[in-house]
Amino acid sequence: MTFNDGSVRTIATLAIPSADSRAVTTYVTIECNLIHCTLFMTKAQTKQLASTATAGAVVAAACKAASWACRIALAIMRDTATSAVSQGKCVALRKFVGPSLVSWPVIEKCRS
């Protein structure tokens, strides 16, 4: 979808490896405008991120040598997800449009 202000919403299929080496397919919503893109997690994904320990193992394994940095990032994501659940909202990852590699978690109204 393209909105009047030029922002775009895309729903995509994303395969995420699970702790038992199987891929889990999930649907995510991605919204972009001139400044940043945001990947929205569902309410169920937000609750799972806030309450599960297996996500840390998957992320650390995917990061390999930089697993320490990924564990820090996951702890921040888990804290943000816990806050989002308590507010009845969802967690999302936001990244500036352009060459930046940095993304950060935000709490947003859940998308359907």
Side-chain angles (χ1 to χ4, degrees):
M1 276 185 261
T2 302
F3 299 94
N4 291 338
D5 66 357
S7 61
V8 177
R9 177 183 292 169
T10 302
I11 298 177
T13 304
L14 180 66
I16 302 171
S18 68
D20 60 4
S21 301
R22 293 180 298 159
V24 176
T25 301
T26 187
Y27 295 94
V28 296
T29 300
I30 302 168
E31 293 182 10
C32 294
N33 57 32
L34 294 175
I35 301 169
H36 53 31
C37 287
T38 306
L39 183 144
F40 292 88
M41 296 186 185
T42 64
K43 199 169 252 191
Q45 291 165 335
T46 298
K47 285 181 181 178
Q48 184 177 18
L49 182 58
S51 65
T52 186
T54 58
V58 173
V59 172
C63 290
K64 299 191 187 336
S67 64
W68 62 271
C70 290
R71 282 194 296 270
I72 292 169
L74 183 65
I76 294 168
M77 277 294 293
R78 182 174 281 146
D79 288 347
T80 305
T82 301
S83 295
V85 167
S86 70
Q87 297 174 35
K89 296 184 177 183
C90 291
V91 72
L93 280 176
R94 185 164 287 154
K95 178 189 177 301
F96 285 116
V97 174
S100 172
L101 296 175
V102 177
S103 60
W104 62 95
V106 293
I107 297 173
E108 292 281 341
K109 179 181 170 193
C110 296
R111 306 301 196 255
S112 54

